[in-house]
Amino acid sequence: MDGIDGVVGVGVDAVDVDRFRLALRRRPRLADRLFTDGERADVAATRDPAERLAARFAAKEATMKALGSGLGSFRFHDVEVVRARGSSWATQGAPSLRLSAAAAQLAGDRRIARWHVSLTHTPHVAIAMVVAEGTPDSTAVAEGGGPPDGDGA
């Protein structure tokens, strides 16, 4: 089946939207540090960009957890939440991940072949769940608890 052999990692993160909104107000350059130009542009015209940015921040943190890495293992810009441009109503606008630099290297080292991401938010909380699927070699190592030797959605 497509060379995919199971779940390598799962990450979930929740962000308090009010606290996140306050942090963005107090630190005007924070959004530039955390989000790519594309992510900021994607939410700029929405009623409350802070809700959507909080969800994207949660996805970045959830990706760190799915990779089994900690805060600081890569820059926040290395994980970008992008929206699908699919033609069907079921896929159009669906979130997916684009990894680059150190995050892409970690994913490659762990032989991650596919990503699944789900985002949700209310005016109060934003939640992201990220699942990393690996190649046949990666799941045996992941299940054993050690890192593999040695991307998409």
Side-chain angles (χ1 to χ4, degrees):
M1 175 181 144
D2 294 3
I4 306 297
D5 196 44
V7 173
V8 175
V10 176
V12 178
D13 196 65
V15 173
D16 180 308
V17 173
D18 290 330
R19 286 184 62 199
F20 194 76
R21 184 181 293 109
L22 183 61
L24 290 172
R25 283 187 194 139
R26 286 184 176 169
R27 295 186 175 122
R29 297 187 45 83
L30 183 61
D32 294 338
R33 282 189 30 234
L34 298 176
F35 304 103
T36 65
D37 292 341
E39 288 171 313
R40 291 190 315 276
D42 191 44
V43 304
T46 62
R47 183 182 57 78
D48 185 2
E51 289 178 15
R52 287 177 167 76
L53 288 174
R56 282 161 174 75
F57 182 74
K60 293 167 188 267
E61 295 259 331
T63 301
M64 288 179 190
K65 293 172 183 176
L67 283 168
S69 64
L71 190 61
S73 56
F74 54 81
R75 294 175 337 122
F76 285 104
H77 277 232
D78 293 355
V79 174
E80 182 178 17
V81 177
V82 295
R83 295 184 337 149
R85 307 260 187 254
S87 58
S88 83
W89 66 269
T91 59
Q92 192 171 25
S96 61
L97 299 176
R98 182 180 302 144
L99 276 62
S100 62
Q105 181 65 48
L106 282 168
D109 291 349
R110 288 163 175 79
R111 295 188 183 108
I112 295 171
R114 184 178 297 159
W115 293 96
H116 305 275
V117 60
S118 181
L119 307 176
T120 190
H121 62 83
T122 70
H124 306 290
V125 67
I127 300 171
M129 179 169 186
V130 172
V131 176
E133 274 189 83
T135 60
D137 295 307
S138 62
T139 54
V141 174
E143 288 169 2
D149 297 337
D151 109 45

